[in-house]
Amino acid sequence: MKLHVISRYAFLLLLSVVFVFPLYWMITGSFKTQVAIWKLPPEWFPSQFRLLNYEHIVKTTPALTWMFNSVFTSLVTVLLVVVFSAMAGYAYAKRKFPGDKILFFVVIATMMMPTQVTLVPLYIVCRTLGLIDSYWGVILPAVAFPFGVFIVRQFAKTIPDEIIESATIDGAGELRIFGTIVLPLLLPALGALAIFAFMHTWNDYLWQLIILQSKAKLTLPLGISTITYSENNVNYGYAMAGASMAAVPMILFFLLLQRSFIKGITLGSVKG
Amino acid sequence: MKLRNTLWSYLFIGPNLLFLTAFLVIPLFYTFYLSFFEADIYKSSFVGFSNYSKLFGEELFRKSFANTFYFVLIIVPCVVILSLVVAAFMQGFHKHAKSFFRLVFYLPVVSTPVVLSLVWGWMYNPSFGIVKYFGELLGFGAVDVFSTQLSAILALSGIVITWMVGQPIILYLSGMDGVSKELYEAADIDGAGPVKQFFSITLPMIAHTTLLIVVTSTISVFQIFVVIHLLTSGGPFHGTESLVYTIYRTAFVSLEFGKASAQSVILFFIILVISLLQFRMLRSKLD
């Protein structure tokens, strides 16, 4: 029995190395000189830590602007997604109105439709609306996030009707009920949703690749992917510094909010 | 009173519905419409089904179709088996050990596909990457993983798998926690070992989770793009070109909007079939 447990630990630890190694390699690589990066056998631990890759990136590319663009567009998207999803999810869960079943079916149907299918028309729609190469071109399509409504609705179903009814009897208005009673009860789900929506926008590489054109408008993932190949020879030191700048904030964010991440995953999925 | 109530309800769902309509529903119908036109940015002319008939005769499109299925056939089983094994191995571990491993396997999920693609690009580099180093150490000689179709597909799949298993592991863990302890106690009394218990109790009890993981991961493999765009650009000889990558190139490199729309419609129908399965599973949870 003991051996059985130890071998399980050993297997998982070995696998963990495979999973963590690329991130270790990226972070240590970002401090290496070009010579150290080319070294074979590899320099498993950098003999010296140098900031020159970061300096180079910050000096020669708008990396800090890219960082701002990513954070800004993601945060605005999250804010809009959370508010609109909370409103709609509450209504679909707790209110009866003509067409509620059909409209919620639309939500479910769009939730399962991958956005890749609509790239071309979405581009045309955004061009018509004058959103090409703008922050709103990144943000507005990302606000159409039906998954959020689904999560909130599932969660709002667990709120007892009596709470809402007694507030109505006490004479509270619609906005008051929503703002002071429903919204606070939804907070755990909204936290998880916020994280999900954030990651979704932050990682929506394909759409951002299409909609953004000028260098100063790029988001961080998009920007750093140009660093590697923009100069004639591939410079992985620069690429790793850029990649670290994109990954480390997200990783820290995850470490801080682990519970909400995990809640979001199990909340949004179907359990048997 | 009733009218008031209705108006408020529409006010609550309104903003969300507006966004869904403008950026998902209308574009979807527009895709179907455009697929019958020969269109670029400036002009369009009606051509009926000719985009479709041309596509099926095109070798490149058939190839990207096949490639996408290769990716599905490699990645989906690996994701299911790997996440199942990891979650099963974690059963009975101390709380801290559990959350440690959960964290480790979720790290790639949060570290952005672009980042992982760049790092693996370096590790796969044929002249100074770590994979070459190990290849030589183990006597394979220097390996250029992106030089043949098979090795390129496997190399890309490996990367995708690392960022796809995090979610299924967490789903399996919560699924396995939900299996009643009494079943295991009864099996213990009957003298069933851990392996037998796993196959005759755990596996059937979490079958629903497995189905969900198969469906959702299949859908996400059909959307594979970033690794291909950054690491192989579809090569060697279009050997790693996926459907979404083909759509992207047709629309935004060749600027053939009509043809790209027809390709999108085909992708739509493939995913629709898989999604219907997912919808049946969702329905049990909706009410």
Side-chain angles (χ1 to χ4, degrees), chain A residues 153-230:
Chain A
R153 178 190 180 266
Q154 295 314 93
F155 197 81
K157 282 242 159 195
T158 61
I159 299 174
D161 286 332
E162 290 78 23
I163 300 180
I164 297 165
E165 276 161 25
S166 66
T168 317
I169 293 164
D170 288 348
E174 303 281 357
L175 278 180
R176 204 184 149 89
I177 292 176
F178 178 72
T180 61
I181 297 167
V182 177
L183 215 49
L185 289 172
L186 289 177
L187 277 182
L190 297 182
L193 168 61
I195 288 173
F196 247 70
F198 187 88
M199 283 186 33
H200 188 259
T201 319
W202 188 279
N203 290 337
D204 196 2
Y205 183 85
L206 176 53
W207 174 246
Q208 293 168 8
L209 178 71
I210 291 165
I211 194 93
L212 298 175
Q213 287 153 358
S214 52
K215 206 169 180 188
K217 282 280 165 51
L218 299 185
T219 55
L220 192 56
L222 217 57
I224 59 159
S225 66
T226 64
I227 293 178
T228 346
Y229 306 99
S230 58

Side-chain angles (χ1 to χ4, degrees), chain B residues 15-37:
Chain B
N16 177 265
L17 206 60
L18 184 75
F19 276 90
L20 295 192
T21 311
F23 296 109
L24 289 169
V25 178
I26 291 176
L28 179 65
F29 286 105
Y30 202 15
T31 307
F32 282 95
Y33 173 81
L34 263 182
S35 72
F36 298 113
F37 287 81

Side-chain angles (χ1 to χ4, degrees), chain A residues 47-80:
Chain A
S47 51
Q48 45 184 334
F49 284 81
R50 290 170 171 275
L51 284 172
L52 44 88
N53 294 320
Y54 290 94
E55 279 167 17
H56 175 89
I57 286 185
V58 172
K59 269 190 207 136
T60 60
T61 71
L64 297 176
T65 314
W66 295 338
M67 174 85 91
F68 169 80
N69 294 346
S70 269
V71 173
F72 177 75
T73 52
S74 300
L75 284 183
V76 175
T77 307
V78 166
L79 188 74
L80 295 176

Side-chain angles (χ1 to χ4, degrees), chain A residues 188 190-196 198-199 249-265, chain B residues 102-103 106 110:
Chain A
L190 297 182
L193 168 61
I195 288 173
F196 247 70
F198 187 88
M199 283 186 33
M250 280 293 263
I251 291 171
L252 293 178
F253 189 55
F254 167 63
L255 294 179
L256 284 172
L257 298 172
Q258 246 199 92
R259 274 170 176 279
S260 302
F261 269 87
I262 287 156
K263 191 175 211 121
I265 296 159
Chain B
R102 202 168 50 188
L103 189 124
Y106 205 72
V110 291

Side-chain angles (χ1 to χ4, degrees), chain A residues 58-187:
Chain A
V58 172
K59 269 190 207 136
T60 60
T61 71
L64 297 176
T65 314
W66 295 338
M67 174 85 91
F68 169 80
N69 294 346
S70 269
V71 173
F72 177 75
T73 52
S74 300
L75 284 183
V76 175
T77 307
V78 166
L79 188 74
L80 295 176
V81 165
V82 166
V83 173
F84 295 162
S85 301
M87 287 161 58
Y90 155 67
Y92 286 121
K94 289 291 170 198
R95 304 177 68 98
K96 276 204 173 6
F97 50 92
D100 53 355
K101 293 242 160 57
I102 295 170
L103 291 175
F104 188 63
F105 177 78
V106 172
V107 174
I108 297 287
T110 49
M111 182 172 91
M112 286 187 293
M113 186 188 72
T115 48
Q116 285 84 344
V117 169
T118 59
L119 282 181
V120 176
L122 195 59
Y123 176 80
I124 296 174
V125 166
C126 287
R127 209 187 48 197
T128 316
L129 297 174
L131 300 175
I132 304 292
D133 201 28
S134 73
Y135 289 142
W136 292 112
V138 177
I139 295 168
L140 296 181
V143 175
F145 192 60
F147 182 64
V149 183
F150 177 71
I151 288 194
V152 174
R153 178 190 180 266
Q154 295 314 93
F155 197 81
K157 282 242 159 195
T158 61
I159 299 174
D161 286 332
E162 290 78 23
I163 300 180
I164 297 165
E165 276 161 25
S166 66
T168 317
I169 293 164
D170 288 348
E174 303 281 357
L175 278 180
R176 204 184 149 89
I177 292 176
F178 178 72
T180 61
I181 297 167
V182 177
L183 215 49
L185 289 172
L186 289 177
L187 277 182

Side-chain angles (χ1 to χ4, degrees), chain A residues 4-5 8-9 11-13 15-16 18-23 25-26 29 32 37-38 40-42 44 84-85 87-88 90-92 95-99 103-108 110-127 129 131 140-141 143-146 149-150 153-154 157 174-175 178 196 199 202-203 205-206 209-210 221 224-225 228-229 236 239-240 243 246-247 250-251 254-255 258 261-262 265-267 269-272, chain B residues 4-6 8-13 15-17 19-20 22-28 30-31 34 41 82 85-86 88-94 97 99-116 118-123 125 127-130 132-134 136 161-162 165 167 170-171 174 194 208-209 212 219 223 225-226 229-231 244 247-248 251-252 257 260-261 264-265 267-268 271 275 278-279 281-282 284-287:
Chain A
H4 174 60
V5 174
R8 269 158 52 187
Y9 264 106
F11 175 79
L12 289 181
L13 281 173
L15 201 61
S16 301
V18 178
F19 273 67
V20 177
F21 183 77
L23 298 174
W25 204 230
M26 164 188 80
K32 286 179 185 170
I37 278 184
W38 281 335
L40 278 181
W44 296 107
F84 295 162
S85 301
M87 287 161 58
Y90 155 67
Y92 286 121
R95 304 177 68 98
K96 276 204 173 6
F97 50 92
L103 291 175
F104 188 63
F105 177 78
V106 172
V107 174
I108 297 287
T110 49
M111 182 172 91
M112 286 187 293
M113 186 188 72
T115 48
Q116 285 84 344
V117 169
T118 59
L119 282 181
V120 176
L122 195 59
Y123 176 80
I124 296 174
V125 166
C126 287
R127 209 187 48 197
L129 297 174
L131 300 175
L140 296 181
V143 175
F145 192 60
V149 183
F150 177 71
R153 178 190 180 266
Q154 295 314 93
K157 282 242 159 195
E174 303 281 357
L175 278 180
F178 178 72
F196 247 70
M199 283 186 33
W202 188 279
N203 290 337
Y205 183 85
L206 176 53
L209 178 71
I210 291 165
I224 59 159
S225 66
T228 346
Y229 306 99
Y236 284 111
M240 292 307 111
M250 280 293 263
I251 291 171
F254 167 63
L255 294 179
Q258 246 199 92
F261 269 87
I262 287 156
I265 296 159
T266 40
L267 205 65
S269 66
V270 195
K271 274 195 285 180
Chain B
R4 239 181 87 94
N5 186 35
T6 306
W8 270 106
S9 301
Y10 286 136
L11 211 65
F12 277 118
I13 62 163
N16 177 265
L17 206 60
F19 276 90
L20 295 192
F23 296 109
L24 289 169
V25 178
I26 291 176
L28 179 65
Y30 202 15
T31 307
L34 263 182
I41 301 186
L82 193 62
V85 168
V86 168
F89 275 21
M90 274 155 78
Q91 290 308 303
F93 277 11
H94 187 268
S99 59
F100 168 78
F101 284 120
R102 202 168 50 188
L103 189 124
V104 165
F105 293 116
Y106 205 72
L107 274 183
V109 185
V110 291
S111 43
T112 306
V114 172
V115 166
L116 286 180
L118 291 178
V119 182
W120 280 95
W122 174 22
M123 301 208 297
N125 185 296
S127 41
F128 53 90
I130 258 184
K132 170 201 148 112
Y133 170 72
F134 280 114
E136 282 174 344
I161 288 165
T162 62
V165 294
Q167 218 122 308
I170 290 168
L171 291 180
S174 78
H208 197 270
T209 309
L212 173 80
I219 294 177
Q223 302 168 10
F225 177 80
V226 178
H229 181 67
L230 290 180
L231 294 181
V244 171
I247 294 173
Y248 164 75
F252 299 102
F257 282 7
S261 298
S264 304
V265 169
L267 177 67
F268 171 80
I271 296 187
S275 297
Q278 193 189 6
F279 182 67
M281 288 188 283
L282 274 175
S284 60
K285 209 199 177 189
L286 281 178
D287 295 300

